[in-house]
Amino acid sequence: MSDKKLQEEKLSDKSSESSEKKSLVPENISEGTDANTSETPSGDLDEVAVATSEEKKKEEDHEAVETNADASEEIPVEEAEAPKEVTDTSEEKKEDKTEPEVQKADTSKDTEEDEEDDDEEEEVSSSDDEEEEETHEEEEVKDYHSLSKKELVAELKELLNSKPVQQIKNDVEEIRSEFNAKFNEELEHQKEEFLAEGGNIIDFHYTTPLKKEFNSLYFDYKEKRNLYYKSLKKDLSANLAKRQELIEELKGLLNAEENINTTYKHFKDIQDRWHTAGPIPRDKYNLIWNTYHHHVENFYDFLHLNREFRDLDFKHNLEQKLKLITRAEELQQEEDINKAFRELQMLHKMWKEDIGPVAKEYREEVWEKFSAATKVIHDKRFEFLKEMESAFEDNLEAKKKIVEQIAEVTAATKPSHQNWQNAIKKVQALRDQYFEIGKVPRANNKEIWNAFKESTRSFNKAKNNFYKNQKKEQYSNLEKKRELIKIAQENKDSDDFEVVTPLMKKIQADWKKVGHVPRKDSDKIWKEFKAACNHYFDRLHSVKNEANKEEIEHLETKTKMLEEIRKIKLTGSKEEDLKLIKAKITDWKNVGRVPFKKKSIEQQFNKELDTLFGKMDLNKKEAEMIKFENKLNSMVSQEDERKLKNEHFFISKKIDETKDEIRQLENNLGFFQHVDDSNPLVKEVHQNIARHKEQLEVWKAKLKRIKKVRNS
C-alpha cells in the first residue's frame, strides 16, 4: 500500500475514533457559550491552502473573540500636561496598522536653522511593541511651557541620558517647540533693541551659548533616533527572513525521506527556533503567524501516521492551555482592573504564539472556556471605565472653568507693574489647581490641554507686551539722558562761562525730570554725566580772573598770525602752498600758550586751516594728518600730557572699532553669496567697507605720529 493511501486511512480512523473518546478536560471546565471557535486563524490564500468552511468560520470567530478589547474600552491616558497617544493592543488594531508611521516634519521656525527633517529615518513598528506601549502609556509629561530655556535644555539632556530614544519623541518635540518659542521671543526683543540703537537690520545676528547647546543636543537626538530605527529595521527584516526560512523548512518536513522519530525531532527544533527568532515588522506579523500555524496543523495531520508523537504533543499543549484558563479565571478576582487586563493580553499572546494546538475534539471547548474568562474581565473593565467616565467629565468641566478664568484675568489686568504682578500670582494659583485635578475623558484630553496652554500663552504674551513697552519707554529715556551727556561733554571745556554755566544748570534739572532707564545702563550713564558736569564746574572755580602777562602776549601774537592766515592767497601750486601753510603752522606752534579762557583761538586757527585745505587739491589722508599735526602741536605747546594720553587712547580705540566694523561688514557679505554685485544692498556694503578701510589707514597714521611725539 502506498504511503499516501496509508495516511488517508489513518486520518479516517482518527476521525471515527475521536467521536468515541471521553473528554480529557477536567470537570470544572464547562462548555462555553460564546462561539464555536477553532484555535488557529486561517492562513493567507497566497501562502497556505484554504481550510474547510467550518474550520474557517471557527477561526474567524476565534479572532473576533480575541480582539474583544475594543478601543472604546481602553482606560483613558494618565492625565498629564501633554497628552500621549496610546496604541490599541487588539489584533484588529494591529491588522489596521499596515503602514509604518512616519515622523512628521517640524513646523517650528528658528533663527538658526535646525537640522532638516527630510532625511529622518522612517519609524518602523515591531511585533513586540504592544507590551512597550502598554507599559509606557500612562507616563506623565512635564509642563514644559512653564520651564525656562535653561531648564528645557536640562530636560532634553536628561531625556537623552535616561530614556530609550524611541520613547521620547513627543517629549523632545514639545521641548523643542517651547524652547524655540522662548528663544524667538528673546530674539525679537534683541532685534528691537538693536534697531532702536540705530543698527542696520543687515548687521543683526543673535545667538546664545544656550541656543547652541540646545541645537547640539537636538542634533544628537536625531542622530540617535535615526541610528535606532535603521538598526531596528535591519533586525526586523533579518528576523522576518529567518521566520520565512523556518516556514519553508517546516513545509519540507512533509516530504522528508527519514524516519518519523527524526522528523519529529526536526519539527521540535523548528518550534524552538521559531520561539527565539525575535520580533518582525508588525504589518507582516499576521501573515507570517497564520502561514506558520497552517503548516503546523498540516504537520500534526501528517503525524497521524504516528499517534504517539502527536497525542503526546497535544496532551502537553492541552495542559499548558488549561493553566492559562486557570490563570485567566484567577484574574477575575484581581482588584486592579488595569493590571488584570494587561496580564490577560499577555495570556492571549502566550495562547496564540507559545502553545501549539490541542486535539480537535478539545479545541472548541478549551477556547470557549478561555473566551468566557476573557469576557468576564472585559465586562468588569467596561463597567470600571463607565464609572470613571462620570468623574472624568466633572474634571473636564473643572478644567474648562480654569481655562476661562485665566482668560478673564488676562482681559481684566490693567497696564501697571503692580497689577501684572498680582495677575501673575493669580494665574500661577490657577495653574496649580489645573494640575491637581484628575484625568479627563481621553477624547477630550488633547483638546483641553491645548486650550489650557493657549490661555497661558495668551496671558504671557499680554504680560510680556506690557513689560516690552515699559522697556521701550526706558530706552527712550536712555536716549534722552545720552543727549544730555553729549551736551555736558561738548561744553565741559568751554571758556564762555557766562553762556555755558546756565546751560549746565538747566541740563542737570532736565536730567532729574527724565524717567527710569534700563538697569544695566543706569550707573554707567550717571557716572558719565556727573563727570562732565564736575569737570566744567571745577574749571569754572579754578579759572583765574586774569591771565598772566606772558599768555596775554601769546594771545596777541596769535591774533595777528590769525589775521595773516586769513589774508593768504594761494598760488595754485600744491607744493608751494603746502610749504607756506606748514611754515605758518610751525610759527603758530612756536608761540606759547594763551589764557585758558581764550584758547578758542586754537579752534579759529584750525578753522582757517580747513578753509585753506578746502581750496587745495589734497586727498583726505593728507588733510587729516596736517590738521592732526596741528592739534598735536597745540597739546605739546600746552604741555598737557593728560590730553596726549587721552588722544592716544582714543585713536587706539578707534582703530579697534574700525577693524570690528570692517569684519562685521565682510561677514554680512556672506548673506549675499548668491546675489549679484549690482544689488543696491551689496553695493552699499562694499562702499562701507572701502570707506572704513580708508579711515583705518588715517587712524593708523595718527597713532604712529602720536606715539612718536609721546616718546620724544
Side-chain angles (χ1 to χ4, degrees):
M1 184 181 294
S2 67
D3 291 343
K4 184 175 182 182
K5 288 184 178 179
L6 179 61
Q7 183 177 351
E8 289 175 351
E9 285 184 8
K10 291 195 174 185
L11 285 173
S12 176
D13 292 344
K14 179 64 181 176
S15 176
S16 62
E17 199 175 326
S18 64
S19 63
E20 298 175 358
K21 277 194 174 181
K22 293 183 179 180
S23 173
L24 293 178
V25 183
E27 293 180 0
N28 64 332
I29 301 182
S30 60
E31 184 172 340
T33 58
D34 286 346
N36 293 325
T37 58
S38 176
E39 158 178 43
T40 308
S42 60
D44 191 275
L45 292 179
D46 294 335
E47 297 265 350
V48 298
V50 181
T52 65
S53 59
E54 181 180 357
E55 287 177 330
K56 196 168 185 180
K57 180 181 184 303
K58 291 177 181 179
E59 290 158 1
E60 291 170 354
D61 291 342
H62 178 188
E63 286 296 308
V65 174
E66 189 169 356
T67 58
N68 193 32
D70 190 83
S72 63
E73 297 179 327
E74 292 289 346
I75 295 178
V77 185
E78 179 72 22
E79 180 68 22
E81 291 75 12
K84 281 187 171 182
E85 291 185 4
V86 178
T87 304
D88 195 296
T89 57
S90 68
E91 288 296 323
E92 184 176 82
K93 291 294 181 183
K94 276 187 177 181
E95 293 175 12
D96 289 344
K97 193 171 183 180
T98 57
E99 293 293 332
E101 293 180 6
V102 179
Q103 168 81 12
K104 294 181 180 178
D106 188 89
T107 57
S108 64
K109 292 187 178 179
D110 196 358
T111 303
E112 293 185 8
E113 291 295 333
D114 291 325
E115 297 75 25
E116 293 293 336
D117 290 340
D118 294 342
D119 59 349
E120 183 171 294
E121 188 67 25
E122 182 180 68
E123 289 184 7
V124 289
S125 299
S126 163
S127 57
D128 282 357
D129 283 350
E130 180 178 327
E131 290 79 7
E132 292 184 9
E133 289 166 359
E134 186 71 23
T135 301
H136 297 288
E137 78 175 42
E138 296 192 3
E139 282 189 359
E140 290 193 1
V141 179
K142 289 193 176 183
D143 176 21
Y144 294 120
H145 180 65
S146 65
L147 302 183
S148 66
K149 294 191 296 298
K150 185 175 182 180
E151 290 170 331
L152 289 170
V153 168
E155 285 292 328
L156 179 55
K157 187 181 296 183
E158 175 65 20
L159 282 173
L160 289 174
N161 292 334
S162 64
K163 290 189 177 182
V165 71
Q166 70 273 20
Q167 294 179 9
I168 62 175
K169 173 185 172 183
N170 291 339
D171 292 272
V172 170
E173 294 306 324
E174 183 81 7
I175 289 173
R176 184 191 186 205
S177 176
E178 293 297 342
F179 185 92
N180 285 342
K182 288 177 169 61
F183 179 79
N184 287 338
E185 183 178 342
E186 178 183 342
L187 177 73
E188 289 302 316
H189 176 66
Q190 294 293 332
K191 186 187 294 182
E192 287 180 6
E193 287 190 9
F194 179 77
L195 296 176
E197 293 176 358
N200 191 321
I201 188 63
I202 298 177
D203 302 331
F204 179 74
H205 175 75
Y206 179 74
T207 189
T208 64
L210 200 60
K211 173 61 176 167
K212 292 178 180 178
E213 182 180 4
F214 179 84
N215 285 349
S216 176
L217 288 172
Y218 187 76
F219 177 80
D220 290 344
Y221 158 72
K222 297 298 286 294
E223 287 287 296
K224 289 181 180 179
R225 189 173 183 278
N226 286 347
L227 183 62
Y228 168 80
Y229 280 110
K230 282 181 182 178
S231 176
L232 178 61
K233 188 175 182 180
K234 182 180 178 181
D235 291 344
L236 295 180
S237 297
N239 293 340
L240 176 61
K242 190 187 303 181
R243 288 183 184 270
Q244 289 170 333
E245 290 173 2
L246 290 172
I247 290 173
E248 291 301 316
E249 193 174 341
L250 178 59
K251 288 163 63 176
L253 292 181
L254 301 182
N255 301 316
E257 296 181 358
E258 56 190 11
N259 66 59
I260 195 65
N261 291 330
T262 303
T263 303
Y264 184 74
K265 289 179 180 178
H266 194 171
F267 170 70
K268 299 304 290 184
D269 177 61
I270 291 174
Q271 281 189 315
D272 291 340
R273 284 184 284 150
W274 179 271
H275 291 148
T276 60
I280 63 175
R282 180 181 288 185
D283 59 319
K284 306 293 184 184
Y285 174 77
N286 280 337
L287 175 61
I288 292 296
W289 188 89
N290 288 337
T291 304
Y292 171 73
H293 279 273
H294 170 79
H295 292 295
V296 168
E297 288 281 351
N298 285 348
F299 182 77
Y300 277 113
D301 289 340
F302 172 72
L303 274 187
H304 186 69
L305 297 172
N306 191 319
R307 295 178 184 174
E308 180 183 353
F309 287 124
R310 185 199 59 185
D311 292 347
L312 184 63
D313 214 42
F314 279 171
K315 182 180 179 182
H316 172 73
N317 293 340
L318 178 61
E319 290 173 354
Q320 295 301 312
K321 291 199 171 184
L322 291 177
K323 290 179 182 179
L324 295 187
I325 292 171
T326 301
R327 181 54 188 160
E329 290 173 340
E330 291 173 353
L331 288 177
Q332 297 173 9
Q333 310 305 319
E334 173 63 55
E335 294 183 1
D336 188 337
I337 301 298
N338 289 331
K339 180 181 178 182
F341 179 71
R342 285 193 291 270
E343 186 171 344
L344 180 65
Q345 289 179 309
M346 182 184 68
L347 295 181
H348 270 273
K349 187 169 184 179
M350 292 170 63
W351 183 287
K352 183 175 182 180
E353 295 187 6
D354 298 341
I355 304 175
V358 300
K360 289 185 178 179
E361 60 265 31
Y362 307 125
R363 290 178 189 173
E364 183 175 315
E365 189 173 358
V366 294
W367 173 247
E368 287 179 353
K369 188 67 176 176
F370 190 49
S371 298
T374 296
K375 186 176 185 302
V376 172
I377 296 174
H378 278 303
D379 289 345
K380 288 179 66 176
R381 187 165 181 263
F382 177 79
E383 292 300 322
F384 173 73
L385 294 178
K386 191 174 179 181
E387 292 176 5
M388 293 183 67
E389 198 70 17
S390 176
F392 291 168
E393 289 291 343
D394 294 339
N395 294 340
L396 177 62
E397 292 304 314
K399 290 192 172 185
K400 284 181 177 179
K401 288 182 180 178
I402 288 180
V403 171
E404 293 172 358
Q405 287 176 306
I406 293 176
E408 290 171 0
V409 171
T410 304
T413 303
K414 302 299 180 183
S416 78
H417 173 69
Q418 189 59 49
N419 288 339
W420 276 109
Q421 290 302 305
N422 293 335
I424 290 171
K425 294 177 182 178
K426 290 179 183 177
V427 170
Q428 185 56 51
L430 290 171
R431 285 173 58 81
D432 293 342
Q433 291 178 33
Y434 181 94
F435 293 117
E436 289 171 1
I437 297 173
K439 294 182 287 187
V440 302
R442 178 185 299 181
N444 306 105
N445 196 15
K446 190 172 184 179
E447 176 187 356
I448 189 62
W449 169 244
N450 287 339
F452 173 71
K453 286 202 299 184
E454 185 58 34
S455 66
T456 304
R457 283 196 176 103
S458 297
F459 172 81
N460 287 334
K461 185 176 180 180
K463 175 200 67 178
N464 292 341
N465 284 339
F466 167 76
Y467 284 105
K468 189 181 292 184
N469 290 333
Q470 269 208 335
K471 285 190 176 181
K472 286 182 180 179
E473 183 178 343
Q474 289 180 353
Y475 277 106
S476 175
N477 294 339
L478 177 62
E479 290 304 312
K480 292 177 182 178
K481 289 194 172 183
R482 282 176 173 166
E483 286 297 322
L484 296 177
I485 292 173
K486 183 179 179 181
I487 295 173
Q489 290 177 337
E490 288 176 346
N491 291 276
K492 67 179 183 178
D493 294 320
S494 174
D495 294 329
D496 196 348
F497 297 115
E498 292 183 2
V499 174
V500 174
T501 300
L503 174 63
M504 298 295 279
K505 291 181 179 180
K506 180 180 183 301
I507 62 175
Q508 286 180 325
D510 292 342
W511 182 277
K512 295 178 181 179
K513 296 176 183 177
V514 179
H516 294 291
V517 301
R519 184 178 299 176
K520 65 178 182 178
D521 301 298
S522 181
D523 289 343
K524 178 183 177 182
I525 62 172
W526 166 243
K527 289 177 180 177
E528 290 179 3
F529 183 70
K530 181 180 178 182
C533 291
N534 287 346
H535 176 80
Y536 173 79
F537 286 107
D538 288 345
R539 284 182 53 252
L540 178 64
H541 297 149
S542 64
V543 171
K544 297 180 179 180
N545 293 330
E546 295 182 3
N548 60 46
K549 184 177 180 180
E550 184 180 0
E551 288 179 343
I552 292 176
E553 291 176 355
H554 294 163
L555 176 62
E556 292 175 351
T557 302
K558 286 193 172 183
T559 301
K560 293 178 181 179
M561 293 177 66
L562 190 61
E563 290 300 321
E564 293 174 1
I565 293 279
R566 288 170 178 164
K567 295 177 181 179
I568 289 177
K569 301 293 184 181
L570 298 176
T571 64
S573 171
K574 178 180 176 181
E575 293 182 0
E576 292 182 8
D577 292 339
L578 192 58
K579 183 178 180 181
L580 175 62
I581 292 173
K582 287 183 176 180
K584 294 295 182 181
I585 291 174
T586 301
D587 294 341
W588 185 276
K589 173 185 175 181
N590 292 332
V591 179
R593 291 187 299 180
V594 299
F596 184 80
K597 65 179 181 180
K598 297 296 184 179
K599 72 172 186 176
S600 59
I601 195 171
E602 300 291 342
Q603 297 175 355
Q604 297 176 41
F605 178 70
N606 288 331
K607 185 176 180 181
E608 294 302 325
L609 290 179
D610 287 340
T611 301
L612 292 173
F613 290 146
K615 296 177 181 179
M616 298 173 62
D617 184 21
L618 290 179
N619 61 44
K620 185 176 181 180
K621 182 177 180 181
E622 287 179 315
E624 282 284 337
M625 290 307 299
I626 293 173
K627 287 189 289 182
F628 181 69
E629 189 72 32
N630 183 52
K631 183 178 181 180
L632 281 181
N633 292 338
S634 176
M635 293 179 183
V636 171
S637 67
Q638 295 178 23
E639 298 178 359
D640 194 338
E641 176 58 27
R642 182 180 63 84
K643 284 188 176 182
L644 283 171
K645 182 179 179 181
N646 290 343
E647 185 70 16
H648 190 165
F649 175 77
F650 173 76
I651 293 171
S652 298
K653 183 179 178 182
K654 280 295 183 181
I655 289 175
D656 291 338
E657 290 177 354
T658 306
K659 286 181 179 179
D660 289 341
E661 287 288 339
I662 293 172
R663 191 179 301 112
Q664 182 64 53
L665 288 168
E666 289 175 342
N667 287 340
N668 290 344
L669 285 177
F671 292 107
F672 303 100
Q673 290 180 351
H674 305 294
V675 180
D676 192 86
D677 286 347
S678 62
N679 183 283
L681 288 176
V682 177
K683 290 173 67 176
E684 182 181 350
V685 174
H686 280 296
Q687 290 171 359
N688 284 340
I689 291 174
R691 177 169 53 81
H692 280 85
K693 285 184 176 180
E694 182 181 353
Q695 187 60 48
L696 179 61
E697 293 303 317
V698 175
W699 287 121
K700 287 181 177 179
K702 289 182 177 181
L703 180 63
K704 184 177 180 181
R705 181 69 184 112
I706 198 170
K707 283 182 177 179
K708 184 176 180 181
V709 170
R710 293 191 67 194
N711 293 332
S712 62

